[in-house]
Amino acid sequence: MTRPGPAPLAALALPLILAAHLGVGADLGLGRMLSLVAGAPADAFAEIRFQQATLPRIAMALLTGAALGVAGSLMQQVTQNRLASPLTLGAASGAWLATVAATLAMPAVAATHGAWISMAGATGAFALVVAITGLHGLSGLQAVLAGMAVNLVFGAVAGALVLLESPYISHLFVWGAGDLGQNGWTWVWWSLPRLGAGLLVALCLGRLLALLRLGAAAAEGRGMALAGGLALAMGTGLFLTSVAVTAAGLIGFIGLVAPNIARRSGARRPVAELAASGAAGAVLLLLADTAAVGLNTLSRDLVPTGAAAALMGAPALVVLMRGRLSAADHARYALPKGPARPSRAALAGLALALALALGAAVALSPGADGWRLARPDGLIWSLRWPRILVAAAAGGGMALSGLILQRLIRNPLASPDILGMSSGATFALVATAMWTGASIFDVGVAAALAGSMAVLALLLILSRRHGHAPATVALIGISLAALLDALVKVALATGSQDSIAILSWMGGSTYRATPAAALALAGAVALAAAALLALRRWLTLVAAGDAVALARGLPVGPVRTGLMALAAALAAGVTAAMGPVGFVGLLSPHVAAMLGARRAGDQIVLSLAVGAGLMVASDWVGRTALYPMQLPAGTIAALLGGGYFLALILRRSRG
């Protein structure tokens, strides 16, 4: 019995989903709806809403879904990577950052040239991913992890901009979560010619995509200009993404899941896959929007379509891809390039940097009369030392958590924020605060630990069939992180004062640090560091591969579970103390290895020092750079660490 093709499936599903959407979004009879669609004048409010809100919303869902589906298919066919998409290659976050920055800096230009501004941001983000992985690296899991790292950097920059201007741009909360709500047909008519042109160009790329499937050498041997062809195909995908982001905001997973559904439904030829991906994307986004509209009828809060898409897309991604991972997923952990041992000069430089960061945090600050270098008085010191200690402990804790995960996943781009553990703690804290009515700052570590451990349990359960292969764990962690982030965006999308307070907390602030909380976190991180030093042989063996570890008598399963639980607990403790902290867990072990920390013990000590120093410096910059305003230390750490990381990668690519 033959499997039904994607076109019949879409044709069958679309009317059913459309009927469901109209059923929850319009309070009119079928006959009256048809007459209004035919052009009958609207009299009642419900009829006006149907013509000016419901119908254009449906049209935007179909247009945007088709565009994201085709964009994802183009990216997957060009890279030969089934995990490639606007979300995982950083293009969507680049478009988001560019649009946010342009909206704040030059709103008139952003209003008239939004698509091209988004295009520039998407192209820049994708270029960074290529610089990190190289063209050949786009076909593997490395590209996905690199894309998520770029998302962290760009998201931190956009978050800092939103925090600075939050009283004036509350609409960006809704737009950033992916909103298809319409007030007329303006955005439909704006999107239609642009997306239509992009889709037409994509459908004309069949021969190019067919040649790419033969490999670079074969394609060039048949007369194709490889660089130009790749640029045209990826440029078309980025343009479609940019128009979709400009019109509807950030909507993830559609471009990732739709091409996989198209292939599993029988689409094999390039053009057929493009067409089927577009159809699947349109149906999926309309389904997600139907769910969002239905949830909005049950809740007083706005549920953005992007969050609903992630709620469906993340589980779908896990189901689609769990059985399609290669044996190379069990490769050994490759440390970043660096000397064989830490040199005295490197250790002295690191010690000097730590001393300068600590000295500035303690004694250097601006005031009404300018900058002042002096020992703080008793009152200032009582307020300052808990912040410094919390920052140092948080940086060290995230560094240790990142080190554990990088060795377990065997990839230097793994971290607790990328793999969902920080997101689990964040969601648990936000959900508890909303459910109980308590302040997000007072919820406590128990909720964060429960959320982080829940993500860990799901990681272990869902990856068990594949023996907890690194790529499986990474894929599921990324999916869970996106799913939980979407749930948090539901809370932020209301744009209320509570949302602004939660967003401020999510930047990772030490502002409310207390002596008791600072001492507790520092003690927990110190105990974790001591435990890891005692278990450094385990870290060495699990990084060498399961076969090597088993041959040396290490019980890989229990050890992996225990180490991952420690990583999750560290991420939860830091998140409960000061909010989510991004990039420190990714960067610190990487820098430690570059300084010569090749052995596990050396890497533990140097990672701890780098993470602590980065967070102390970030807290000081956040307190002083825009005095008397303050920015969260976690946001500054992501900006500083992310900027350094990307500059380092770009320098390496040129060398």
Side-chain angles (χ1 to χ4, degrees):
M1 183 176 180
T2 60
R3 179 184 298 174
L9 290 175
L12 178 63
L14 183 58
L16 298 176
I17 298 172
L18 182 60
H21 194 291
L22 292 173
V24 298
D27 188 18
L28 295 171
L30 179 59
R32 187 54 181 161
M33 289 184 194
L34 293 175
S35 64
L36 290 170
V37 171
D43 298 323
F45 173 76
E47 296 174 352
I48 296 173
R49 186 179 66 176
F50 176 75
Q51 280 190 335
Q52 300 300 320
T54 302
L55 290 180
R57 181 170 186 143
I58 290 172
M60 279 302 302
L62 295 174
L63 281 172
T64 305
L68 292 174
V70 172
S73 180
L74 283 171
M75 293 178 181
Q76 291 184 17
Q77 292 193 60
V78 168
T79 62
Q80 298 298 299
N81 185 349
R82 294 183 178 183
L83 298 180
S85 74
L87 170 71
T88 54
L89 295 184
S93 64
W96 177 41
L97 171 59
T99 305
V100 169
T103 300
L104 297 177
M106 40 186 182
V109 176
T112 55
H113 299 86
W116 297 111
I117 292 171
S118 295
M119 177 75 172
T123 303
F126 177 69
L128 286 175
V129 173
V130 174
I132 293 172
T133 65
L135 287 175
H136 296 292
L138 291 175
S139 61
L141 180 66
Q142 188 86 353
V144 177
L145 293 175
M148 299 308 288
V150 170
N151 286 341
L152 284 177
V153 180
F154 282 32
V157 177
L161 294 175
V162 171
L163 280 175
L164 288 173
E165 303 290 341
S166 57
Y168 311 105
I169 54 172
S170 59
H171 65 283
L172 287 179
F173 290 125
V174 179
W175 176 79
D179 178 41
L180 288 177
Q182 302 296 308
N183 186 20
W185 290 84
T186 302
W187 280 107
V188 174
W189 299 130
W190 181 90
S191 303
L192 186 59
R194 293 166 174 82
L195 293 179
L199 293 172
L200 182 61
V201 171
L203 294 175
C204 293
L205 298 176
R207 181 175 182 274
L208 168 67
L209 297 174
L211 290 175
L212 286 175
R213 292 186 178 186
L214 301 176
E220 289 181 328
R222 286 164 172 77
M224 188 184 84
L226 188 60
L230 290 173
L232 177 60
M234 287 302 301
T236 303
L238 293 173
F239 177 75
L240 290 170
T241 301
S242 303
V243 174
V245 168
T246 303
L250 285 175
I251 298 177
F253 281 102
I254 300 298
L256 184 60
V257 175
N260 284 286
I261 290 178
R263 280 190 296 272
R264 289 172 68 92
S265 299
R268 293 292 179 264
R269 295 182 179 180
V271 174
E273 184 177 326
L274 288 173
S277 298
V283 171
L284 286 174
L285 190 53
L286 185 61
L287 178 61
D289 195 51
T290 302
V293 173
L295 290 172
N296 286 331
T297 62
L298 303 175
S299 171
R300 62 179 178 85
D301 296 328
L302 171 69
V303 177
T305 306
L311 289 174
M312 297 190 311
L317 173 65
V318 174
V319 172
L320 287 170
M321 300 304 297
R322 276 178 68 196
R324 298 176 177 271
L325 300 169
S326 66
D329 296 337
H330 297 267
R332 291 183 57 187
Y333 172 55
L335 285 166
K337 293 181 179 179
R341 296 289 299 274
S343 65
R344 292 184 178 179
L347 294 176
L350 179 59
L352 177 61
L354 287 172
L356 290 175
L358 185 60
V362 170
L364 182 61
S365 61
D369 301 325
W371 285 88
R372 181 185 179 195
L373 180 62
R375 180 179 177 180
D377 59 32
L379 176 61
I380 297 299
W381 176 243
S382 68
L383 297 174
R384 189 168 292 175
W385 76 259
R387 297 186 63 168
I388 296 173
L389 184 58
V390 161
M398 292 302 287
L400 294 178
S401 181
L403 183 150
I404 294 170
L405 294 174
Q406 287 178 15
R407 285 181 170 262
L408 288 177
I409 303 300
R410 300 166 200 151
N411 194 302
L413 291 178
S415 70
D417 38 351
I418 289 180
L419 297 184
M421 293 177 181
S422 295
S423 297
T426 300
F427 171 70
L429 288 165
V430 172
T432 303
M434 294 181 65
W435 181 263
T436 62
S439 168
I440 188 67
F441 302 99
D442 301 326
V443 172
V445 69
L449 187 61
S452 189
M453 288 299 178
V455 171
L456 170 62
L458 285 172
L459 280 172
L460 295 175
I461 291 170
L462 294 174
S463 63
R464 181 173 56 187
R465 194 179 79 180
H466 295 277
H468 307 293
T472 307
V473 175
L475 169 63
I476 295 172
I478 289 170
S479 301
L480 292 174
L483 173 63
L484 294 167
D485 289 342
L487 291 173
V488 171
K489 283 181 178 178
V490 172
L492 297 180
T494 61
S496 65
Q497 290 302 311
D498 290 340
S499 299
I500 294 172
I502 291 173
L503 184 69
S504 176
W505 171 83
M506 287 180 66
S509 176
T510 63
Y511 180 72
R512 292 174 178 262
T514 64
L519 292 171
L521 182 61
V525 172
L527 288 175
L532 285 176
L533 285 172
L535 302 175
R536 58 187 180 274
R537 179 175 175 271
W538 290 9
L539 286 172
T540 301
L541 290 177
V542 296
D546 289 358
V548 174
L550 289 170
R552 299 297 190 277
L554 188 73
V556 174
V559 166
R560 179 185 286 111
T561 302
L563 289 175
M564 289 188 71
L566 180 57
L570 285 167
V574 171
T575 304
M578 61 175 292
V581 176
F583 225 96
V584 177
L586 176 67
L587 179 69
S588 301
H590 190 95
V591 172
M594 292 174 56
L595 292 175
R598 321 305 290 177
R599 297 184 300 182
D602 293 340
Q603 195 179 20
I604 291 168
V605 174
L606 291 191
S607 296
L608 187 69
V610 171
L614 177 59
M615 282 302 298
V616 170
S618 298
D619 185 53
W620 176 77
V621 171
R623 285 192 286 112
T624 60
L626 297 177
Y627 179 85
M629 296 180 62
Q630 295 192 26
L631 283 173
T635 298
I636 299 298
L639 294 176
L640 294 178
Y644 170 78
F645 180 76
L646 295 178
L648 176 67
I649 293 296
L650 289 174
R651 187 182 70 183
R652 279 179 150 192
S653 67
R654 292 171 183 171

